[in-house]
Amino acid sequence: MKKPRIGVVGCGAISGIYFHNLTQVFTEIEIAGVCDLIDERAEDAIKTYNLSRKYKDMHEMFADPTVDIILNLTRPYEHYEVSMAAIAAGKHVYAEKPLGATLDEGIKIRDAAAAKGLFIGGAPDTFLGAGIQTCRKLVDDGYIGKPIAATAFFSCRGHESWHPDPAFYYQFGGGPLLDMGPYYITALVNLIGPVKQVSGMAKKTFPTRRITSEPHYGTIVDVEVHTHIGAQLEFENGAIGTMIYSFDTHAHQLPKLEVYGTEGTLSIPDPNTFEGPVKLYRPESQEFMEFPLVFDYPQNSRGLGLADMAKAIQTGRKARADVDLTFHVLEIMTSIIKSAETGKHVEITSSPKQPAPMVNGQLPGVLD
């Protein structure tokens, strides 16, 4: 069977782990070539990962009939333009999160792909790793009984002190909810199921940010987005989720992610990773006990969702990190902001099925 060929648009900070995994781990797909608006980045990727081709721009890549799937690693506010152009050219697309910067963008991407019979998938794929898949098995097997509540907390002082190009985090399409929310919300939908309605409150604490990382040290960035968001989620099964996403706090001691059930509590690992620890509390033990990881991919396996989608295209099965999931997560996030701005609960219209659990493979990088 012919290996699906991947064209990579965008060679920025996140691309390195994708290039490593797509050339070293996931052996059922191959990189056809790359392009980037900054030519030096594309050149570096070619040299570092021994890639075969650099396209002059994305349109040359999309016109290449040997390219099957576009990996969209552009900045969030560029996702829509790149994905829509790729779809128009007849290419499947796997994009970094979020699917789009607005719900309207997500709708147009979803509908354009459906009209052409194309697959659309996207990050995060961390929920497919060993940590959260082990949690999924514990929930599915009844170790905590019926899920009744969840908490999800991400809070820091922003990324301008360490990221080499942090301005986009404070521009259209950025902010802690659209940046980090996908990891937490995707994990919870995978564990509990789809969301029915949301409510939210949001604020922009600081009107500007000063970059203290290189190479933009000292640059002042205008903040265009909400930087502290609190939200409540009602899941279709009746469970209630409580969330905070913030770029405004110096420190905290909140748990990252927990699910509470009628018979126990599950402490879930950082959903921005593929690993553990997974900790289970049962009343008979009266303590949290670490549970061994029982699935593949405990290491940083970004690209796993892309490899899974490529296999789904070949076999006709449903991709796990598909557009149904990524659109649902986008609708949840944009509805939280809508709720914050209107002061009303917002009903969620999409209702995807939970992704299928992962299946351990006989060979690393080979999927079911």
Side-chain angles (χ1 to χ4, degrees):
M1 186 179 294
K2 172 183 171 291
K3 289 184 179 182
R5 287 168 55 80
I6 314 300
V8 183
V9 181
C11 301
I14 194 64
S15 67
I17 188 61
Y18 276 97
F19 286 132
H20 172 80
N21 290 336
L22 296 183
T23 56
Q24 301 296 321
V25 178
F26 300 113
T27 58
E28 296 182 296
I29 54 181
E30 63 184 17
I31 297 177
V34 302
C35 69
D36 194 284
L37 290 174
I38 301 175
D39 192 62
E40 292 80 3
R41 289 180 177 176
E43 290 283 0
D44 288 344
I46 293 286
K47 294 174 184 177
T48 302
Y49 300 99
N50 194 29
L51 305 178
S52 60
R53 182 172 179 181
K54 182 187 73 175
Y55 296 91
K56 66 179 181 181
D57 56 31
M58 68 178 187
H59 300 292
E60 182 183 34
M61 177 186 292
F62 299 164
D64 183 350
T66 72
V67 173
D68 302 300
I69 303 171
I70 299 301
L71 174 57
N72 182 355
L73 300 183
T74 59
R75 289 167 292 192
Y77 59 83
E78 298 168 325
H79 288 177
Y80 173 75
E81 179 185 358
V82 174
S83 293
M84 287 294 283
I87 292 167
K91 305 299 185 185
H92 306 289
V93 178
Y94 185 93
E96 252 301 324
K97 45 79 184 170
L99 175 65
T102 67
L103 183 61
D104 185 59
E105 288 185 356
I107 290 170
K108 289 178 179 177
I109 291 170
R110 179 196 64 186
D111 292 351
K116 289 204 166 193
L118 297 169
F119 275 65
I120 299 292
D125 55 6
T126 46
F127 77 97
L128 300 177
I132 295 177
Q133 284 296 306
T134 297
C135 293
R136 171 69 182 269
K137 182 168 179 58
L138 290 172
V139 173
D140 287 353
D141 289 353
Y143 278 78
I144 64 169
K146 179 184 176 181
I148 57 174
T151 54
F153 301 118
F154 172 85
S155 191
C156 72
R157 190 58 178 81
H159 298 341
E160 61 268 29
S161 65
W162 62 269
H163 196 282
D165 190 20
F168 74 89
Y169 287 108
Y170 303 102
Q171 297 169 345
F172 173 70
L177 180 56
L178 285 181
D179 177 48
M180 295 303 298
Y183 296 108
Y184 292 77
I185 297 170
T186 301
L188 287 176
V189 172
N190 173 62
L191 293 169
I192 300 175
V195 171
K196 177 181 178 182
Q197 69 171 346
V198 303
S199 62
M201 300 183 74
K203 64 183 295 185
K204 180 173 65 177
T205 302
F206 308 103
T208 62
R209 299 281 183 139
R210 182 186 297 273
I211 298 175
T212 58
S213 59
E214 297 293 350
H216 302 291
Y217 181 88
T219 300
I220 302 297
V221 177
D222 291 328
V223 178
E224 302 174 0
V225 295
H226 299 292
T227 52
H228 186 94
I229 300 99
Q232 294 287 119
L233 276 60
E234 180 185 1
F235 291 83
E236 288 186 4
N237 75 343
I240 301 296
T242 301
M243 301 183 170
I244 293 175
Y245 302 102
S246 182
F247 282 166
D248 293 348
T249 65
H250 287 282
H252 71 88
Q253 293 183 320
L254 296 166
K256 291 185 180 296
L257 198 58
E258 291 185 339
V259 175
Y260 313 101
T262 55
E263 298 178 26
T265 295
L266 190 57
S267 177
I268 297 158
D270 184 346
N272 192 16
T273 71
F274 291 77
E275 55 193 2
V278 172
K279 295 182 180 180
L280 174 68
Y281 178 93
R282 294 275 302 183
E284 60 267 23
S285 67
Q286 292 293 300
E287 64 178 337
F288 279 93
M289 301 180 66
E290 187 165 344
F291 201 89
L293 304 184
V294 295
F295 283 87
D296 297 331
Y297 306 108
Q299 67 285 349
N300 189 341
S301 301
R302 279 173 170 79
L304 175 56
L306 170 59
D308 178 79
M309 189 181 86
K311 194 62 172 283
I313 291 169
Q314 289 185 312
T315 62
R317 68 164 169 80
K318 187 174 176 62
R320 291 176 170 92
D322 70 351
V323 70
D324 292 342
L325 179 61
T326 56
F327 179 83
H328 186 60
V329 171
L330 178 63
E331 185 180 9
I332 292 167
M333 295 188 297
T334 54
S335 296
I336 289 170
I337 297 301
K338 181 179 180 181
S339 173
E341 293 174 346
T342 62
K344 299 178 180 180
H345 295 299
V346 178
E347 296 286 332
I348 303 300
T349 62
S350 57
S351 180
K353 294 181 179 179
Q354 287 174 273
M358 290 291 284
V359 176
N360 282 333
Q362 295 182 344
L363 296 172
V366 176
L367 302 179
D368 63 294

